Amino acid sequence: MRAFIGKISETHIGALLALSYLLFSAIFWAYPFIWLIILSFSDWRFFDAPIFSGLHNLVVVLSDPEFWGGLWNVARFFSIYFPIAFVGSLGFAFGLKHVGRGKTIIALCFLLANISSGVAFSLVFAKLFSSTGPINNMVFSWFGFRIPWMSNPTLAMLAIALVVAWKFIGYYGLILYSGLQTIPKELYDAARLDNTPPIVRLVRITLPLINAQLIMVLVFTILVSFGIFTEPYLITGGGPLGRTNTPMMIIYETAFRRLQPSHAAMMSVIVAAVSYLLIRITRKLLEKDVKLA
Amino acid sequence: MILRAIQFLWIAGSMVLLTSCSGSHNQSPPQAQIIKLWVGPNEAEESFWKVAVAQWNARGQGLQVSFTTIPTSGNSEETVLSALVAQTEPDVSTNIFSGFALQLADLKQLEPLSSMPGYSDLIERRHMAKLIESWQINGTVYAIPFYSNPALIWWRADILAKYANHKVPRSYEDVYELSRRYAAAEHRYGFQVFAGRSWEDRWFDFIAFYYAASNGRAYIEKDKATYDNADGLKVAAFIDRMYEQGWTAADFDAGDPLVSGMAAGAVHGPWDLGTFQRLYPETMKNIVVGPIISDAKPEAHTATFSDSKGIVIFRSSKVKREAFSFISWVLGDEHLNLLWLQKTGMMPARDDLLRNPVFADFFDTHPAAKVYASYVDVAFPPALNENTIDIQKVMTQELVGPLVFRTKAPQAALDDAASQTNRLLRIRQ
């Protein structure tokens, strides 16, 4: 036995350890993805065998105004969500860095939002933002008007962005915090000796040195923007007037309500391709290879 | 290295594919035949089926029935569909709405029940000849309606006593008058007009109001929208006026408006009777049930929308005849229909509810349920169309939504919704 173990090289052990991940990917990623590609170019309605249909699904999806509306809503969501999530998580990371005691508890409190049930908190926020809900009742009693969270397209999107940001700020904040921890204190000491103002220290030292973490957060916000489902589905139902309808909601309804899985598969492929492309462009433009001398 | 990894993934994927395919050829061990039944996933329905299935199995006159609730975490349709794709569907399922039945029939997944021996006898025995008409797909019935729940309006009797001289509103004018007196600007409202943002919610606002205004005229006929007419305009003008005057709110998500008194009236189905009795007994004491408002004469028996679900047999079933015998027994037995009524509060889909002495005691002791029973004969199900979801999404986005958010005039909203629906249905043909 010992002789046998002796013969196994490190490469073999590494391959064996990697096998579980590769198998997992093969079953839960590669297999469904291959099927998704096949279905995108097929005519299939759940029960019959898929028949190759060329670019028909692509034409159907690209001529669907609802799908384009969904993609436009992603852009609208991102333009509201990213600044909130970015500023919030940066603030959280800086705050955590300056906290003396109880860092773990504070971090856990913020992470709780991330692991909470999306359905549960969406229902709570739907009640909070309701035109007859507590926030509006308070605003009405103080100022005599109500905020049309659910009836104004921009405010409805803002409501969803606030909820999603609330969920992710702790998570993104911890990523940024880990980046802040790697910046040597001496750099700041030297900058202070040169009388560098705080804002310059932030722009010239801190942000460039946590570039990797910032890009990671940016990539995550792009992914979240394309992937949100629960919050708009439960809080606004895609309304008002379809202005919070997201690609995931459209894909779900196309597959399981309209019973057109091939169209839904093509939508998924397009959404995946667009989000992948955006991430590649983002990284190409903004990612820097930061090295401390 | 990357190429090797991709190669490996392909091989592993193919292995999984082959394994799963070969698995389907395995023969499962022979089992005693039973009828597998899925029922609506709620406590009330489950308690009915417990008794009904136990009685059937004790009779020993057919195959034994084994039931479970539809194993759903989301909606029933999605679960039934997944089961059909995975070939794990039961023989029989309840809780199927007419539009979904049409989709499944179109995909050849349902057994035509109207060609089963004993079908005509069942329809006659259950007094549902008129009700079944709206469930026919080209003359064939694939789903038999199990219950038919009229949508009616609940009013707070204490509010009506103070602001409407005890009069239950029946017309648009009645609602305007009540709202004028009761609704203080943005603080409380006369009536909940907008049922919600989801496409299903149109059943409980525009469609119910349109049925009431048009005496049950179909809103989609031969793949065309038919609601762009004088009756549709009356409904649209009513919604518009309620929002223009601030007599109703864009949503009541914060809590039930009847419980809080935020609104004096709201549309409800009979399934809410039990829920309210359990959760809000004090509010329930003050509830009176009235018809859907319209401009019909006060004595008119106003039509409304029926939230109705049916029972189907899947084509893959090996025990179709036996399953239909069971269905016939459950649907046709008056005492089981009474038990259904007692357990769920929902109206069995039969038009003799108020004439049949079997139900008399129940309705004598449940006056609100009796009002619902009196509207079963004028309660119309949704338009039988495969594109139900898109028809009602257009209705939401082009008609009801713009009226609620006051971005379109009633006639313009009606025109836009009808023309967009027609365009959509033309493309889908």
Side-chain angles (χ1 to χ4, degrees):
Chain A
M1 185 65 184
R2 198 173 283 177
F4 174 72
I5 292 170
K7 278 182 191 170
I8 301 173
S9 68
E10 276 191 8
T11 317
H12 288 120
I13 293 170
L16 271 173
L17 290 172
L19 194 66
S20 58
Y21 172 73
L22 287 172
L23 262 177
F24 180 86
S25 299
I27 296 167
F28 294 106
W29 184 80
Y31 178 54
F33 191 73
I34 291 163
W35 260 111
L36 192 72
I37 303 283
I38 293 170
L39 291 183
S40 312
F41 296 97
S42 309
D43 182 16
W44 183 64
R45 290 199 73 189
F46 288 110
F47 306 107
D48 42 2
I51 299 165
F52 180 69
S53 63
L55 296 176
H56 178 254
N57 294 334
L58 185 68
V59 174
V60 170
V61 170
L62 293 183
S63 57
D64 180 356
E66 191 186 23
F67 181 67
W68 285 107
L71 285 180
W72 174 237
N73 287 339
V74 169
R76 290 178 56 237
F77 173 79
F78 180 79
S79 68
I80 299 172
Y81 171 64
F82 177 69
I84 299 171
F86 185 76
V87 172
S89 54
L90 212 54
F92 170 72
F94 281 123
L96 200 61
K97 197 162 180 263
H98 289 97
V99 168
R101 280 183 172 186
K103 266 186 190 172
T104 316
I105 294 289
I106 293 170
L108 273 176
C109 289
F110 274 84
L111 269 180
L112 264 182
N114 192 250
I115 57 163
S116 304
S117 155
V119 174
F121 71 68
S122 294
L123 291 173
V124 171
F125 276 101
K127 285 185 184 298
L128 284 176
F129 286 124
S130 164
S131 69
T132 53
I135 294 178
N136 261 322
N137 284 343
M138 194 174 69
V139 171
F140 183 73
S141 63
W142 286 355
F143 307 108
F145 67 89
R146 288 175 192 271
I147 305 166
W149 290 109
M150 302 297 177
S151 50
N152 179 296
T154 308
L155 287 177
M157 196 57 103
L158 174 64
I160 293 170
L162 284 172
V163 176
V164 180
W166 172 81
K167 178 177 175 161
F168 282 105
I169 276 177
Y171 179 52
Y172 298 159
L174 279 185
I175 294 171
L176 297 179
Y177 175 71
S178 71
L180 292 177
Q181 293 293 86
T182 62
I183 303 174
K185 196 171 166 289
E186 293 77 14
L187 281 179
Y188 292 111
D189 293 340
R192 279 195 198 94
L193 280 176
D194 289 341
N195 287 326
T196 314
I199 187 75
V200 178
R201 290 206 298 267
L202 173 73
V203 176
R204 292 293 176 86
I205 300 174
T206 310
L207 294 182
L209 287 177
I210 58 167
N211 177 274
Q213 288 76 19
L214 289 175
I215 295 298
M216 197 170 180
V217 167
L218 181 56
V219 167
F220 281 171
T221 54
I222 293 172
L223 288 175
V224 164
S225 302
F226 279 96
I228 48 165
F229 175 82
T230 311
E231 294 82 4
Y233 191 75
L234 289 173
I235 297 174
T236 60
L241 312 177
R243 299 295 291 279
T244 58
N245 212 7
T246 66
M248 288 302 129
M249 289 167 68
I250 298 166
I251 289 168
Y252 166 77
E253 287 188 338
T254 304
F256 296 108
R257 295 298 183 113
R258 298 185 182 107
L259 307 190
Q260 293 289 358
S262 301
H263 297 172
M266 179 53 85
M267 288 176 183
S268 311
V269 169
I270 294 172
V271 169
V274 172
S275 54
Y276 176 75
L277 209 66
L278 270 176
I279 289 167
R280 288 299 298 228
I281 293 168
T282 306
R283 292 186 63 184
K284 184 94 181 160
L285 292 176
L286 301 172
E287 200 167 32
K288 304 273 186 296
D289 190 13
V290 181
K291 281 196 181 98
L292 287 169
Chain B
M1 186 61 199
I2 293 168
L3 278 174
R4 280 198 175 180
I6 293 170
Q7 205 176 4
F8 180 82
L9 284 174
W10 266 106
I11 294 165
S14 310
M15 280 169 65
V16 171
L17 186 66
L18 287 172
T19 317
S20 59
C21 288
S22 62
S24 63
H25 294 295
N26 288 347
Q27 286 199 339
S28 51
Q31 286 181 341
Q33 278 195 324
I34 55 164
I35 300 165
K36 286 185 190 156
L37 163 73
W38 276 4
V39 303
N42 64 68
E43 206 181 318
E45 286 189 47
E46 196 178 353
S47 66
F48 164 77
W49 286 106
K50 243 180 214 169
V51 178
V53 167
Q55 281 185 18
W56 168 264
N57 288 343
R59 279 161 55 102
Q61 289 181 355
L63 284 184
Q64 295 284 292
V65 174
S66 162
F67 87 94
T68 55
T69 54
I70 297 174
T72 177
S73 56
N75 62 66
S76 304
E77 288 86 13
E78 193 186 311
T79 309
V80 168
L81 204 59
S82 306
L84 284 166
V85 174
Q87 297 177 2
T88 56
E89 74 276 21
D91 298 293
V92 180
S93 181
T94 65
N95 218 35
I96 305 290
F97 98 91
S98 56
F100 188 49
L102 178 62
Q103 286 178 313
L104 291 179
D106 191 46
L107 294 167
K108 298 186 173 39
Q109 296 302 309
L110 298 183
E111 188 64 17
L113 301 181
S114 47
S115 53
M116 284 282 180
Y119 168 80
S120 307
D121 175 51
L122 169 66
I123 300 302
E124 196 179 326
R125 205 154 27 105
R126 196 171 149 90
H127 297 270
M128 60 188 308
K130 195 179 161 213
L131 286 169
I132 203 76
E133 280 171 14
S134 47
W135 286 72
Q136 286 180 353
I137 303 165
N138 298 326
T140 306
V141 172
Y142 291 91
I144 299 179
F146 204 93
Y147 58 83
S148 172
N149 291 324
L152 295 174
I153 300 176
W154 289 15
W155 297 98
R156 279 271 299 265
D158 52 336
I159 296 173
L160 294 185
K162 205 168 169 187
Y163 296 92
N165 209 11
H166 297 279
K167 186 184 173 192
V168 174
R170 297 182 67 97
S171 68
Y172 302 134
E173 271 309 321
D174 291 344
V175 177
Y176 296 151
E177 193 54 37
L178 170 68
S179 301
R180 205 172 284 130
R181 291 180 185 175
Y182 182 65
E186 300 206 55
H187 183 60
R188 59 188 192 193
Y189 305 92
F191 175 64
Q192 179 182 359
V193 174
F194 189 46
R197 290 173 290 271
S198 172
W199 62 269
E200 296 110 316
D201 294 318
R202 297 297 70 76
W203 288 329
F204 303 99
D205 48 44
F206 183 81
I207 293 172
F209 298 147
Y210 178 73
Y211 277 153
S214 65
N215 199 22
R217 189 179 161 191
Y219 54 94
I220 299 288
E221 268 178 323
K222 294 178 184 167
D223 278 329
K224 277 202 171 159
T226 50
Y227 53 79
D228 189 4
N229 54 28
D231 295 323
L233 187 59
K234 281 177 202 163
V235 177
F238 164 69
I239 298 173
D240 183 62
R241 175 125 193 237
M242 291 297 285
Y243 281 96
E244 183 203 0
Q245 296 293 327
W247 289 334
T248 188
D251 73 86
F252 288 93
D253 292 344
D256 192 282
L258 289 181
V259 176
S260 61
M262 188 75 86
V267 175
H268 280 271
W271 57 86
D272 283 331
L273 291 169
T275 313
F276 262 66
Q277 191 61 55
R278 202 170 60 249
L279 297 176
Y280 314 113
E282 287 308 310
T283 307
M284 202 58 218
K285 283 179 195 162
N286 273 318
I287 294 296
V288 283
V289 182
I292 296 292
I293 42 170
S294 69
D295 66 349
K297 287 176 184 163
E299 67 278 7
H301 194 42
T302 318
T304 183
F305 167 76
S306 160
D307 182 57
S308 190
K309 295 281 176 72
I311 190 164
V312 298
I313 298 178
F314 293 107
R315 190 160 270 188
S316 59
S317 171
K318 303 264 190 298
V319 290
K320 296 180 188 97
R321 292 275 170 101
E322 294 84 348
F324 189 75
S325 299
F326 170 68
I327 289 176
S328 294
W329 175 77
V330 176
L331 290 174
D333 188 307
E334 290 167 341
H335 294 282
L336 283 174
N337 290 180
L338 174 65
L339 182 71
W340 171 266
L341 194 54
Q342 289 165 335
K343 294 279 186 189
T344 67
M346 296 195 274
M347 303 294 129
R350 52 190 303 155
D351 56 22
D352 66 337
L353 285 173
L354 292 180
R355 298 192 306 275
N356 193 322
V358 170
F359 306 107
D361 280 351
F362 178 85
F363 288 125
D364 285 346
T365 51
H366 296 78
K370 190 173 183 176
V371 180
Y372 276 101
S374 71
Y375 281 90
V376 168
D377 61 335
V378 285
F380 295 86
L384 207 51
N385 194 293
E386 206 191 347
N387 298 297
T388 297
I389 175 173
D390 290 307
I391 290 167
Q392 289 178 213
K393 278 188 114 176
V394 170
M395 213 179 257
T396 305
Q397 292 180 13
E398 300 295 332
L399 173 57
V400 182
L403 294 175
V404 171
F405 307 131
R406 306 215 23 83
T407 54
K408 281 185 197 171
Q411 186 62 61
L414 265 180
D415 292 346
D416 289 354
S419 64
Q420 196 156 321
T421 304
N422 292 341
R423 195 162 49 241
L424 176 115
L425 294 177
R426 205 168 41 242
I427 294 167
R428 297 277 169 85
Q429 270 178 349

